[in-house]
Amino acid sequence: MDLTSPRVIKDIATRFGFTFSKGLGQNFLLDSTVLDKIVEAADIEDGVLEVGPGFGVLTKHLAQTGKKVVSVEIDRRLFPVLDYTLEEYDNVTVLEKDILKTDIKKLLEEEFQGGRVSVAANLPYYITTPIITGLIESKLPLKNIVVMVQKEVAQRICAKPGKKDYGAITVLCQYYTEPEMVCTVPAGSFYPPPKVDSAVLAMRMRPEPAVKVKDEKVFFRVVKSAFAQRRKTLLNCLQSGFSADKETLSKVLEGIDISPQIRGEKLGLEEFAKIADAFLERGIV
Ligand code: SAM
């Protein structure tokens, strides 16, 4: 059964009386080369967690590695379809769950008993950011996260300082992971086609964060404040985020060789770390 064939997808939809939900981001992938690239980038060790199997096209590719696959799907109408499309695989478990309401740590313990797990998914675009940030912030024993996302999201996460795409989510992702854009995928590679182009993003979890900071909370508060108002200088942004006067903040920034007049989006992770540590040292919180 070739789930990358639009004719097969349409036949299955007719057979099961299935209608595609835009609200749940149901755009199914049709390109087998891209599916192979996702599986390759996932480099599965102990098992893989998939978010949103849909009709099971990626699930099948993942299952063919012989490793354990656990797929979380919110839409119960897909379960009879998945029973049919994944019939021949005994290494796949499909769970009816909303990924945003799932205790993933517990799920990983129950299903993979502490193994190093990859996440692979063609993500529903309406919840891309909460899924990615949820996965990387909760310090799970993950090996990597390989996801199909809107092209702009992949560009933002891989952006370099000073580029217009660079933002708080870039810093968050680059702090915990090494992100890489694997390939771009045109809208026509999905059924039904979405309105935007997509990209496969591979994020390898770092064994240690990219920079050392004394307090992660302060670090992320600095980052959040620095990007909160993009037109303002770093000094003005930080003043809105922290309770200290401009003079004190200026002195602290100058003391660590960072110009108070610079824009936050020019700073790299090292510089954000320096600011956070200096703030902590001076009791600016
Ligand atoms: N993996 C399939 C593929 O590549 O063709 C389907 C991908 S489709 C873009 C997104 C899938 O995520 C759909 O099956 C949708 O029902 C499911 N989904 C949407 N919201 C979800 C949620 N909150 N939790 C789990 N699955 C969700």
Side-chain angles (χ1 to χ4, degrees), residues 11-174:
D11 283 352
I12 294 177
T14 310
R15 180 170 166 181
F16 287 88
F18 183 82
T19 48
F20 295 83
S21 159
K22 256 195 199 161
L24 289 177
Q26 290 175 341
N27 305 99
F28 296 170
L29 183 57
L30 300 173
D31 186 325
S32 60
T33 312
V34 175
L35 287 158
D36 289 339
K37 283 186 182 169
I38 296 175
V39 176
E40 196 192 328
D43 188 22
I44 307 168
E45 208 173 294
D46 296 326
V48 58
L49 172 67
E50 186 195 15
V51 181
F55 277 7
V57 71
L58 174 59
T59 326
K60 261 179 118 164
H61 272 69
L62 296 167
Q64 279 159 8
T65 63
K67 301 287 168 103
K68 178 167 182 176
V69 183
V70 175
S71 299
V72 171
E73 174 59 60
I74 196 172
D75 186 352
R76 65 168 53 195
R77 298 173 308 143
L78 287 164
F79 283 72
V81 181
L82 289 163
D83 280 344
Y84 168 66
T85 58
L86 302 173
E87 200 180 13
E88 64 191 282
Y89 300 97
D90 57 11
N91 53 334
V92 179
T93 306
V94 186
L95 304 172
E96 186 189 336
K97 281 179 188 301
D98 176 343
I99 192 69
L100 294 181
K101 294 188 184 146
T102 301
D103 181 342
I104 301 176
K105 193 161 190 238
K106 192 163 154 234
L107 185 152
L108 294 180
E109 272 159 21
E110 282 170 5
E111 297 290 340
F112 299 100
Q113 293 82 37
R116 281 188 85 213
V117 176
S118 303
V119 173
N122 170 14
L123 288 182
Y125 291 167
Y126 75 107
I127 46 170
T128 302
T129 310
I131 292 179
I132 293 179
T133 53
L135 285 171
I136 66 176
E137 278 176 334
S138 35
K139 305 195 172 153
L140 301 161
L142 296 176
K143 178 171 182 177
N144 54 30
I145 302 170
V146 183
V147 281
M148 177 85 70
V149 294
Q150 203 175 317
K151 194 168 111 192
E152 287 69 24
V153 174
Q155 284 167 336
R156 209 174 305 149
I157 289 174
C158 298
K160 299 262 182 286
K163 300 287 174 205
K164 76 168 182 353
D165 298 328
Y166 188 68
I169 189 161
T170 317
V171 177
L172 173 72
C173 291
Q174 295 187 7

Side-chain angles (χ1 to χ4, degrees), residues 231-239 245-264 267 275 279:
R231 284 163 198 277
K232 291 199 173 175
T233 61
L234 178 65
L235 179 63
N236 284 332
C237 286
L238 291 175
Q239 207 208 354
D245 57 67
K246 275 193 180 173
E247 210 186 324
T248 311
L249 291 174
S250 281
K251 270 196 191 145
V252 175
L253 291 173
E254 279 157 4
I256 51 171
D257 290 329
I258 293 175
S259 161
Q261 299 313 317
I262 202 171
R263 309 236 176 249
L267 301 179
I275 299 173
F279 276 18

Side-chain angles (χ1 to χ4, degrees), residues 30 114 189 226 269:
L30 300 173
S189 298
L269 270 68

Side-chain angles (χ1 to χ4, degrees), residues 134-236:
L135 285 171
I136 66 176
E137 278 176 334
S138 35
K139 305 195 172 153
L140 301 161
L142 296 176
K143 178 171 182 177
N144 54 30
I145 302 170
V146 183
V147 281
M148 177 85 70
V149 294
Q150 203 175 317
K151 194 168 111 192
E152 287 69 24
V153 174
Q155 284 167 336
R156 209 174 305 149
I157 289 174
C158 298
K160 299 262 182 286
K163 300 287 174 205
K164 76 168 182 353
D165 298 328
Y166 188 68
I169 189 161
T170 317
V171 177
L172 173 72
C173 291
Q174 295 187 7
Y175 179 78
Y176 288 115
T177 79
E178 279 178 87
E180 182 200 346
M181 179 112 95
V182 176
C183 59
T184 55
V185 187
S189 298
F190 298 85
Y191 185 85
K195 288 208 171 69
V196 292
D197 288 338
S198 304
V200 176
L201 174 72
M203 292 182 277
R204 197 151 12 104
M205 302 306 292
R206 296 179 187 273
E208 296 293 331
V211 287
K212 263 209 164 87
V213 291
K214 292 202 174 97
D215 185 327
E216 282 187 353
K217 275 204 189 109
V218 178
F219 173 74
F220 285 116
R221 267 184 64 206
V222 168
V223 173
K224 214 172 143 198
S225 318
F227 288 106
Q229 296 147 292
R230 293 186 80 104
R231 284 163 198 277
K232 291 199 173 175
T233 61
L234 178 65
L235 179 63
N236 284 332

